[in-house]
Amino acid sequence: ETIFPLNGSSMADTGVVEALLRRVEKVDDGVDSLEVATSLELDHQVIVGAVKSLQAVGDVISAELRSSKHWELTDEGREIAEHGSHEARVFGSIPVEGLPQSELMKLSFGKIGFSKAMSNKWIRLDKAHEGGPRIFRTVESIEDQVREKLLLLQKGNASQLEEKEKNELKKRKLLSEVTVKTYWIMKGNSFSTTVTKQETELTAEMITNGSWKEKKFKPYNFEAMGVAPDCGHLHPLMKVRTQFRQIFLEMGFTEMPTNNFIESSFWNFDSLFQPQQHPARDQHDTFFLSDPALAHDFPQDYLERVKKVHSEGGFGSQGYKYDWKIEEAKKNILRTHTTAVSARMLYKLAQQKFTPVKYFSIDRVFRNETLDATHLAEFHQIEGVVADYGLTLGDLMGVLHQFFTKLGITKLRFKPAYNPYTEPSMEVFSYHEGLKKWVEVGNSGIFRPEMLLPMGLPEDVSVIAWGLSLERPTMIKYGINNIRELVGHKVNLQMVYDSPICRLDS
Amino acid sequence: MPTVGVKRDLLFKALGRTYTDEEFDELCFEFGLELDEITSEKEIISREQGDSKASGASDIILYKIDVPANRYDLLCLEGLVRGLQVFKNKLEAPRYRRVSPVNGEPQKLIITKETAAVRPFAVAAVLRNITFTQERYDSFIELQEKLHQNICRKRSLVAIGTHDLDTISGPFTYTAKAPGDICFRPLNQTKEYTATQLMSLYKTDSHLRHYLHIIEDKPVYPVIYDSNGIVLSMPPIINGDHSKITLKTKNVFIECTATDVTKAKIVLDMMVTMFSEYCSQPFTPFKVLLVFQELAYRTERLSSEFINCKVGINESTEKIAQLLTRMCLRSRATGVGDEIEVEIPPTRSDVIHACDIMEDAAVAYGFNNITRTTPRTYTVAHQFPLNKLTELLRQDLAAAGFTEALNFALCSQEDIADKLGKKISETKAAHISNPKTAEFQVARTTLLPGLLKTIAANRKMPLPLKLFEISDVVLQDETKDVGARNSRRFCAVYYNKSPGFEVIHGLLDRTMQLLDVKSARGEGYHIQAADDPTFFPGRCAEIFVQGKSVGRLGVLHPDVINRFELTMPCSALEMDVEPFL
């Protein structure tokens, strides 16, 4: 019967437990567990098991752990306790007529026993005896004190020996001193000599027949951990993505179709009024494609207007005044921002009667950059866009305030910045209470007329937009320092298993 | 974003006051700059080359300031100070004037038609009666370098050459010649070289070798001569030693050669406007007139209502004119309605539209002083249907006991082909032309390699490993304008001591249940045996929905398992998601 089902530790038999309790009943000031073991002729560990199982059922006994020094016979000591000391055995093996020394030395105890018996003057050696040296008894009888002392110790009566005597035996390697952990057992407040059999678990049978009412149940160990449920887990970055999506939806933003990683330079750069010599369009910053290398099928009228605003200006702009090349615009790339999709959506919007829109997207973008602990060649961009008549810079800051409030960030300030396709451009900073400083949390701006007017949007429509990365807030949220532990195949799955649900505002 | 390093004490002296680091950081923030780092030469050398190398270096405090990429007028101490002083109302924006030399004709630079084949444009100017000090000289050289690295696109668009005018005589000729026919003593060399020799000499030069490619394969190289045949420079590589400027130089001849004439003019304007304050008549460089009107001021007219409406403020016309003037855009209310006349100086090449003027008004007003408002835009939100389906599926796949992985969209050719026992030509993969490493050769065409790599990186985790991913792969598609499209996939793997085909098969059944597709041939879904080199023979099935194949499942081939550095059996499922929309 298992006493400790939760711990799965010692087994104790009811008979032993009850025998122990009967011993404890007889003494008022308690009893030592080792003494109980000796008297019941059981291994001490069996009694320890019984003590532990009694402790677990409540206040039947009180047991205090003690450690004490204890003398124990060595193997040689036990042999002597049984057969006598070597010198006594030597004395015993010598008949009245004596024994040749060579015969004695053939016995296992002969050599050691001989010298000891000699110094005790129990025997003598006649070296000149004819037929070789011969040994004779010198006394009638002897007293084997060594054996007697060891027998005393073996019976647990160590106190009858003086320390000096015990040390002497220890020196002869017949005794060793060991530390023993024992329990001092006394009656507990609810002491009883009988133990009710305890049930491990409630069973269906007990419920059916009502027997649970009479039964006692073993207590649970509430210190132990439970068993982990067998379950799947969502990836932390995706959990954060879900929350950002939720925020945009709560704010009435419609999701853009961003499932097109490959984009033409035209939609990724040219349509955004990003000049063709811009460093972002360099081989070192952008992934170009060799196959399919070029895009085709551009809206021709629009393309001409884009070309004109870059190379000559127009729509109130001086333009960049350079030789705009269609070849450059045709080059396929892995999109460097989801704003390429925003451009496609705004162009599409401009082709119908204008109605205000709010758009968002969260998807992958690609940069051919130097990689480090916080930068990968691909990451997720979060983007929000609002197009309406007469939107102001104050409106952009107001929308950003609402958006970031939903992330639990209320202290914002804005820094003038530069971006080729927004004017004004603002970097968004939030006050970090932990770091005690302002940290950049996003970028924002109002799309340039050189981007919007060639699309055909009405002149009095403003488009405000902002963006941030998904990885950074996720790394902060989940305390991850190396982005490779979060994204990609080197992910730490234990981290995925252990990550809590994502509540961005708490 | 370019970073400008300036000596703090020199900056404060020029600004006429000192700031604490915090105060200066605040000023930068307001103006749209960023105090990136406070350091010293000693600290920089010690960080980059070790303490021992830094022992003799200067410990004068340097401010490293990030400047917006379109503000070339803030790339040196002179420009920064001017911009900030005007912003703080401590200085009136200077007016730059072009003057003729007191005696004699303007200098001329003749451009020959041969340059058309290599570098067709050139503009030039002279800074007269300039006084250099060591610090001014250093700043002058540093500005050239900053311009070269930024607007000049590493000298490919524009290259600047500066010369001591008193060592040469005009008119100057900008021409192009065969490399073997150009011969001169280049800067800091003791003997003459032909252009051909120079190109091989500089092959190993840590600085100049980066510019050689600009002209290397051209039949002719650009070169500028004076009237006596002295070589001023061989742009965009190197100047001649003869005309090099020193601290004693009084008159500086500046030439900019270019493939983009607009940028050449901007660069020349920056060089002369920034350093004309050191001329005997400040802000009056003398310019060599070529085809173009230089040091041009432009006038724009706009209404204060335009600015008020775009920014979301309500200021008087006069106040707005004052705000703009603080941004070096000298402005005045014309008195005609709420019209403002704005003068754009040659230093502000970034102002190309009224919206740029509007931004400057907002910066001067202070972004953080603008009232934050809520637009009244009424809209109803819609989820992108594919993403909505993906979100719902992900939740239930995790509930089915599988853990979500998130892998890169880019990978090596090997990952999607060889390792899966397939040929790259069969994958319909989109290929990247400029990957820095093999990890970015192609866009993935299947999610399976990513999941197998995830398992390989997590082999210490307890078994079984049950992973899934719903994400996009990229396939070539001629019907699309870019020739490729994304395709949303669902992939799952089961990795354990036994293959567990029944687990993956069960997941397929569960997925179909979630998608409300019954198990039936014809109208529902069914699987049937298929051959696929990725899978163990006889252990692969194709998934059909309404008679159309949507994917495959099965036990992976041992070779595939080995190639992904795995040791145990593994079953997998990959299918399209879009048919279930």
Side-chain angles (χ1 to χ4, degrees), chain A residues 358-373:
Chain A
K358 294 194 289 206
Y359 289 143
F360 83 95
S361 65
I362 310 168
D363 212 334
R364 294 180 199 240
V365 297
F366 305 85
R367 308 270 169 98
N368 196 8
E369 280 176 350
T370 316
L371 314 180
D372 60 31

Side-chain angles (χ1 to χ4, degrees), chain B residues 24 99 109 136 145 225 282 301 329 334 348 354 399 403 434 489 523 533:
Chain B
F24 191 72
V99 294
L109 176 64
R136 290 171 183 183
E145 186 53 25
Y225 291 100
R301 286 189 165 75
L329 301 175
T334 60
R348 292 300 305 275
T403 291
N434 58 333
R489 292 278 179 82
E523 280 310 286

Side-chain angles (χ1 to χ4, degrees), chain A residues 12-39:
Chain A
D13 152 296
T14 319
V16 174
V17 170
E18 289 182 347
L20 170 63
L21 290 170
R22 279 194 298 276
R23 278 298 306 269
V24 175
E25 190 189 15
K26 286 177 199 151
V27 289
D28 288 333
D29 52 352
V31 61
D32 187 80
S33 58
L34 187 61
E35 203 183 311
V36 177
T38 313
S39 68

Side-chain angles (χ1 to χ4, degrees), chain A residues 188-202:
Chain A
N189 290 332
S190 34
F191 182 81
S192 142
T193 51
T194 53
V195 188
T196 321
K197 190 186 166 213
Q198 289 188 317
E199 298 294 339
T200 314
E201 290 295 5
L202 188 63

Side-chain angles (χ1 to χ4, degrees), chain B residues 99-127:
Chain B
V99 294
S100 298
V102 185
N103 302 310
E105 288 289 297
Q107 293 289 355
K108 277 201 178 113
L109 176 64
I110 300 148
I111 304 173
T112 72
K113 64 181 190 304
E114 287 81 7
T115 59
V118 50
R119 202 171 178 84
F121 307 105
V123 288
V126 175
L127 282 166

Side-chain angles (χ1 to χ4, degrees), chain A residues 1 81 103 124 130 169 184 195 210 287 300 347 368 459 487:
Chain A
E1 182 210 10
E103 286 294 312
R124 67 178 171 85
E130 64 180 76
L169 292 169
W184 188 257
V195 188
F287 287 114
Q300 205 51 46
Y347 171 75
N368 196 8
E459 216 166 313
V487 187

